[in-house]
């Protein structure tokens, strides 16, 4: 029987081709990060095997000590990164290294489509911080070979590519489990054959790796040498870890490329003991609001990596937090699935949550400006906790920041309450798609005129928590577009202050405009059940009309939001209240007409519909009947011109 050597040739997935093209032509100065990426993969492979060996100890029999070995061959001009980790079988080798496996890289490539030249510049500057994983080897290599043997199997395979569209797979030999990545260096990349240079790179980027990274000796003069500290970074004393080392670990553990906004490194001893090294990123990940987005904290048990997706380790509204938790109090043989409902995990979760809130509060107090950048990035996620986590509601309310109608910048609810007017007994807010739209709402006119502050709620999540959270410091939240906003009471309080030096100010007590009652009666008859009520408004100063929701009914903006998300079907909506501005020339004139005609005139009928339609347009809603609207408007304009 002859053993034929089967070499298979495969084409890269199109995105990989594109990525490789950019990487290969990279003039990027920080090419050295390729080594960080290869070491990071070797370390991940060891973590994976260590976990599998918990249930299948045979897998590491005879070679339980994980390590990464770097070998330099000046003659062959190769740098080899070897590990005794989990390895890959043939399918994995073909699938994983021929396609873009990690979501971050996928996003990176998607971000590149379009303007070629600009993209390339952007890409080059990103590669350094971000790394493009395994493929970054092609920045320095004209050939990369991967020889690998999966733990527990007998066969090894070799993957090889020059990075130009194709790769080959063939059977190979490897005496033990693990992977060698053989980097054939380009002509002008010989610096990566110098031991001192390699040592420097490892210390800079990979010192945090928890297993030894060994530079192999040459078998004659130089002995092998361990280059890193080789203890998991979170097990070290805080004072022995530099900011740069934390950042490098964050890049590795979180697959992130920004700098951490906050680092929380603690050892907790008690009923449950654990160490946490958590990071709050400074940038919002692109998939933060993706429904499949899960937690990003890796769970270790006694230094053994268990899972990076432990449900229940942190509440979903803290899903932006990344990092590592390591506990001695969990059994190593507990399966990943069992972790989710484990009481120890629940205890750790409570402790971590409390710690995170504590640190956020400190930051909000001590570095308010810095805190605001956090709030702008992750506030909308944190606010989900207001309805998901009753126990922490007060803490989140304290941390929440809002834009307001009266001040620039962000304010807290405590700031708001402190500035409430005499006679004001509610926290007023208005919801809208953005601050500009909310500020333009006619319902705000009366508040602005009286200097009553209104909070602008512009995140979709606001509508949901507002319906769960009734009060803050015993003050109820109240929408400015709803019910009686009690502006008169506030105004009176203001007048009372003024009354001392200005007796004549009776502005708010003036009698209703003549004919108002008849006008309201006429409009009610004309509109029937299209409105819930018609009444004079306290909140309008410039506009003639506006719509408000009755106290028990759904807020106007919530209704719009639900409609947009097709959560609401138009038929069962409560009709709105139409409010009239008694000081507006149009309303006073109509009132006069109503008085003269004793509320009966066809012109009043048309006016009623036009007023309602106008109020709807102000809300960004369509008119009820576009044809009828156009007809009435033409009629009125013709009259006006006659
Ligand atoms: N040394 C290795 N041992 C085992 N598998 C590896 C090794 N290097 C790379 N891989 C596989 O290739 C995949 C892609 O690596 P990479 O491009 O760095 O992305 P990432 O590390 O983010 O997954 C890894 O997820 C892993 O499955
Ligand atoms: Mg990687």
């Amino acid at each position: 029987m002859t053993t034929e050597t089967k070499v298979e040739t495969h084409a890269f997935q199109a995105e990989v081709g594109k990525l490789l093209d950019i990487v290969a032509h990279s003039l990027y100065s920080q090419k050295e990060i390729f080594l960080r990426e290869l070491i990071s993969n070797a370390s991940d492979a060891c973590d994976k095997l260590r976990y599998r060996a918990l249930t299948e100890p045979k897998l590491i029999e005879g070679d339980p000590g994980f390590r990464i070995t770097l070998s330099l061959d000046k003659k062959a001009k190769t740098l080899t990164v070897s590990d005794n980790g989990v390895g890959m079988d043939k399918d994995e080798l073909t699938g994983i290294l021929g396609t873009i496996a990690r979501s971050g890289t996928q996003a990176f490539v998607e971000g590149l489509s379009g303007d070629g030249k600009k993209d390339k510049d952007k890409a080059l500057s990103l590669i350094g911080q971000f790394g493009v994983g395994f493929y970054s080897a092609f920045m320095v290599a004209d050939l990369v070979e991967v020889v690998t043997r999966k733990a527990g199997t007998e066969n090894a395979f070799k993957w090889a590519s020059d990075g130009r569209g194709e790769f080959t797979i063939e059977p190979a030999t490897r005496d033990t489990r693990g992977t060698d990545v053989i980097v054939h260096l380009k002509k002008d990349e010989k610096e990566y054959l110098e031991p001192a240079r390699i040592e420097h790179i490892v210390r800079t980027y990979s010192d945090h790796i928890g297993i030894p990274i060994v530079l192999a000796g040459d078998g004659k003069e130089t002995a092998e040498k361990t280059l890193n500290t080789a203890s998991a970074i979170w097990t070290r004393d805080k004072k022995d870890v530099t900011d740069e080392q934390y950042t490098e670990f964050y890049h590795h553990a979180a697959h992130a490329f920004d700098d951490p906004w906050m680092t929380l490194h603690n050892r907790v001893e008690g009923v449950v003991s654990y160490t946490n090294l958590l990071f709050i990123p400074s940038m919002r990940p692109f998939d933060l609001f993706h429904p499949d987005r899960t937690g990003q904290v890796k769970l270790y048990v006694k230094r053994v990596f268990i899972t990076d997706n432990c449900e229940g380790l942190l509440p979903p509204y803290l899903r932006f937090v990344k990092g590592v938790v390591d506990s001695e109090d969990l059994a190593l043989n507990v399966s990943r699935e069992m972790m989710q409902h484990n009481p120890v995990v629940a205890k750790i979760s409570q402790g971590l949550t409390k710690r995170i809130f504590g640190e956020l509060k400190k930051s909000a107090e001590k570095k308010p400006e810095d805190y605001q950048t956090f709030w702008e990035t992750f506030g909308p996620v944190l606010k989900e906790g207001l309805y998901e986590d009753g126990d922490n509601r007060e803490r989140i309310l304290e941390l929440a920041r809002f834009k307001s109608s009266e001040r620039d910048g962000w304010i807290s609810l405590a700031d708001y309450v402190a500035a409430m007017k005499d006679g004001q007994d509610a926290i007023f807010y208005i919801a809208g798609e953005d601050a500009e739209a909310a500020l333009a709402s006619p319902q705000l006119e009366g508040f602005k005129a009286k200097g009553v502050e209104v909070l602008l709620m512009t995140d979709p999540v606001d509508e949901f928590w507002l319906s769960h959270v009734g009060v803050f410091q015993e003050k109820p939240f109240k929408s400015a577009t709803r019910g009686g906003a009690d502006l008169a009471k506030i105004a009176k309080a203001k007048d009372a202050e003024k009354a001392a030096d200005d007796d004549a100010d009776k502005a708010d007590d003036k009698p209703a405009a003549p004919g108002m009652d008849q006008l309201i009666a006429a409009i009610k008859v004309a509109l029937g059940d299209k409105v819930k009520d018609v009444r004079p408004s306290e909140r309008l100063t410039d506009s003639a009309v506006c719509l408000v929701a009755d106290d028990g009914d759904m807020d106007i903006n919530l209704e719009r939001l639900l409609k947009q998300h097709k959560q609401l079907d138009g038929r069962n909506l409560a009709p709105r209240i139409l409010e009239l501005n008694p000081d507006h020339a149009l309303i006073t004139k109509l009132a006069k007409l109503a008085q003269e005609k004793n509320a009966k005139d066809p012109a009043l009928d048309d006016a009623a519909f036009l007023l309602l339609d106008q109020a709807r347009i102000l809300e960004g809603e369509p008119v009820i009947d576009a044809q009828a609207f156009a007809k009435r408007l033409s009629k009125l304009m013709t009259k006006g011109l006659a």
Side-chain angles (χ1 to χ4, degrees):
M1 206 179 112
T2 52
T3 38
E4 51 174 327
T5 327
K6 278 189 278 170
V7 181
E8 297 173 14
T9 303
H10 300 263
F12 282 117
Q13 179 196 24
E15 284 90 341
V16 178
K18 194 164 157 191
L19 183 70
L20 283 174
D21 188 47
I22 287 170
V23 165
H25 297 104
S26 159
L27 300 171
Y28 195 72
S29 57
Q30 247 184 304
K31 288 178 190 174
E32 63 199 34
I33 59 99
F34 84 91
L35 191 55
R36 165 188 81 182
E37 295 298 325
L38 297 183
I39 290 174
S40 169
N41 285 349
S43 160
D44 288 348
C46 293
D47 270 355
K48 280 179 202 160
L49 182 57
R50 201 193 318 241
Y51 175 74
R52 283 191 51 198
L54 291 177
T55 46
E56 287 175 78
K58 271 215 332 258
L59 292 176
I60 55 170
E61 222 168 47
D63 183 15
F66 291 101
R67 56 172 9 211
I68 299 167
T69 308
L70 310 179
S71 332
L72 309 175
D73 185 333
K74 287 197 172 164
K75 240 199 239 138
K77 295 192 190 62
T78 56
L79 159 64
T80 302
V81 180
S82 306
D83 64 69
N84 55 351
V86 72
M88 285 175 270
D89 62 23
K90 192 181 165 192
D91 286 347
E92 286 166 331
L93 197 54
T94 316
I96 300 174
L97 292 188
T99 53
I100 288 184
R102 64 183 215 182
S103 54
T105 312
Q106 179 77 44
F108 175 85
V109 173
E110 274 164 13
L112 294 181
S113 51
D115 180 354
K117 170 77 179 81
K118 244 209 213 136
D119 270 355
K120 230 165 193 169
D121 293 346
K122 193 168 110 198
L124 293 184
S125 71
L126 275 177
I127 288 171
Q129 319 155 28
F130 181 46
V132 287
F134 170 76
Y135 302 113
S136 57
F138 288 100
M139 288 197 288
V140 297
D142 45 24
L143 171 66
V144 177
E145 292 172 299
V146 180
V147 176
T148 182
R149 176 170 153 192
K150 186 158 179 157
T153 71
E154 299 300 320
N155 300 322
F157 295 91
K158 183 166 96 179
W159 178 103
S161 177
D162 60 4
R164 293 201 200 123
E166 285 177 349
F167 61 91
T168 57
I169 303 262
E170 62 191 285
T173 48
R174 199 180 193 280
D175 293 339
T176 52
R177 69 168 198 254
T179 304
D180 308 304
V181 179
I182 305 155
V183 179
H184 293 259
L185 293 162
K186 289 183 190 167
K187 251 209 215 85
D188 38 4
E189 306 294 349
K190 296 212 185 76
E191 60 188 278
Y192 302 109
L193 296 170
E194 295 303 328
R197 177 86 173 101
I198 297 302
E199 179 167 353
H200 179 75
I201 299 172
V202 171
R203 284 200 194 284
T204 308
Y205 298 107
S206 307
D207 190 61
H208 60 81
I209 297 286
I211 54 176
I213 304 169
V214 177
L215 184 62
D218 64 3
K220 285 173 274 166
E221 287 132 53
T222 47
E224 68 169 37
K225 180 178 182 188
T226 301
L227 303 181
N228 64 332
T229 310
S231 65
I233 188 170
W234 62 89
T235 63
R236 299 181 206 167
D237 207 318
K238 258 190 208 180
K239 63 177 184 345
D240 299 333
V241 186
T242 64
D243 286 351
E244 290 72 28
Q245 286 172 326
Y246 278 133
T247 301
E248 274 309 324
F249 175 71
Y250 166 71
H251 289 169
H252 162 76
H255 285 308
F257 55 96
D258 55 342
D259 282 355
W261 175 75
M262 185 185 266
T263 302
L264 288 86
H265 186 184
N266 305 90
R267 166 98 201 119
V268 177
E269 315 260 3
V271 193
V272 175
S273 301
Y274 60 89
T275 301
N276 65 263
L277 174 50
L278 299 181
F279 302 95
I280 296 179
S282 52
M283 276 166 64
R284 187 191 282 192
F286 69 98
D287 62 346
L288 196 56
F289 290 100
H290 194 280
D292 298 337
R293 163 95 187 190
T294 52
Q296 307 276 309
V297 176
K298 296 187 185 210
L299 179 65
Y300 282 70
V301 175
K302 304 182 185 77
R303 321 275 172 274
V304 179
F305 170 72
I306 304 294
T307 173
D308 49 14
N309 181 14
C310 179
E311 222 177 286
L313 191 54
L314 277 181
Y317 62 85
L318 292 177
R319 61 185 175 274
F320 53 86
V321 176
K322 302 184 175 199
V324 164
V325 173
D326 190 347
S327 175
E328 292 95 75
D329 291 326
L330 283 159
L332 263 173
N333 57 5
V334 174
S335 76
R336 282 176 187 161
E337 293 68 32
M338 293 292 285
M339 291 286 178
Q340 295 175 14
H341 307 290
N342 189 299
V344 176
V345 171
K347 263 260 168 323
I348 296 177
S349 174
Q350 274 173 17
L352 294 176
T353 307
K354 207 169 144 209
R355 163 98 45 196
I356 292 168
F357 280 128
E359 291 300 319
L360 286 175
K361 191 173 170 196
K362 259 192 239 161
S363 160
E365 283 162 6
K366 294 197 183 129
K367 295 183 278 175
E369 274 174 28
D370 193 35
Y371 177 74
Q372 280 168 16
T373 65
F374 159 78
W375 184 258
E376 282 173 8
T377 315
F378 295 116
V381 191
L382 203 61
K383 280 191 282 189
E384 291 172 13
L386 289 171
Y387 56 85
E388 281 176 1
D389 185 357
D391 292 345
N392 283 304
R393 181 172 293 167
E394 287 306 314
R395 289 198 178 96
I396 303 174
L397 283 174
E398 275 175 30
L399 289 170
R401 295 292 180 269
F402 301 91
K403 295 269 170 68
S404 103
S405 61
E406 291 289 307
R407 295 183 245 188
D408 291 334
W410 295 92
I411 64 165
S412 68
L413 290 172
D415 294 335
Y416 181 93
V417 171
M420 276 169 54
K421 300 270 184 230
D422 285 343
Q424 180 182 350
D425 53 11
I427 299 172
F428 291 112
Y429 68 87
I430 186 158
E433 269 171 44
D434 52 52
E436 214 170 288
L439 279 172
S441 305
Q443 291 94 338
L444 277 196
E445 290 170 3
F447 291 86
K448 283 187 203 152
K450 285 182 172 142
V452 177
E453 188 161 35
V454 178
L455 297 178
L456 311 178
M457 301 288 181
T458 52
D459 289 318
V461 63
D462 289 330
E463 300 283 7
F464 296 99
W465 68 261
L466 279 162
S467 55
H468 280 77
V469 179
V471 294
F472 174 77
Q473 291 184 358
E474 288 160 34
K475 306 280 188 288
F477 287 94
K478 201 158 189 186
S479 168
T481 64
R482 183 195 288 262
D486 296 340
L487 272 176
K489 245 166 56 195
I490 301 172
K492 281 211 184 89
K494 219 176 154 194
D495 285 348
E497 277 169 34
K498 271 203 228 155
D501 44 272
D502 183 9
D503 276 7
D505 192 349
K506 291 233 164 64
D508 275 352
D509 296 338
K510 69 173 181 235
M516 246 341 240
D517 293 345
Q518 283 100 325
L519 176 62
I520 288 175
I523 295 177
K524 277 185 183 168
V525 170
L527 296 181
D529 59 8
K530 291 194 170 53
V531 289
K532 191 160 193 175
D533 196 6
V534 180
R535 67 186 182 204
S537 182
E538 293 172 2
R539 70 192 101 210
L540 292 176
T541 59
D542 299 335
S543 305
V545 285
C546 73
L547 288 173
V548 299
D550 202 3
D551 263 331
D553 293 339
M554 191 182 286
D555 189 75
I556 292 183
N557 279 287
L558 177 56
E559 182 185 302
R560 184 176 314 144
L561 194 80
L562 291 177
K563 268 196 221 154
Q564 272 169 12
H565 290 85
K566 310 228 166 1
Q567 297 285 317
L568 209 62
D569 120 26
R571 280 165 305 180
N572 45 21
L573 295 178
R576 299 300 180 199
I577 296 168
L578 181 66
E579 287 198 351
L580 311 178
N581 179 355
D583 298 323
H584 195 282
L586 174 59
I587 302 298
T588 50
K589 278 189 181 154
L590 283 171
K592 204 163 148 240
L593 179 68
Q595 194 181 32
E596 285 163 13
K597 300 283 167 86
N598 199 17
K600 284 195 196 74
D601 188 290
L604 288 175
D605 253 29
D606 284 343
F609 278 97
L610 283 170
L611 288 175
L612 177 58
D613 280 336
Q614 192 184 132
R616 291 178 63 93
I617 291 169
L618 279 171
E619 283 303 322
E621 304 275 316
V623 298
I624 296 173
D625 175 346
Q627 275 191 359
F629 171 75
K631 237 186 219 157
R632 288 193 184 103
L633 190 62
S634 305
K635 204 155 111 192
L636 206 77
M637 286 172 78
T638 317
K639 236 175 159 183
L641 292 170

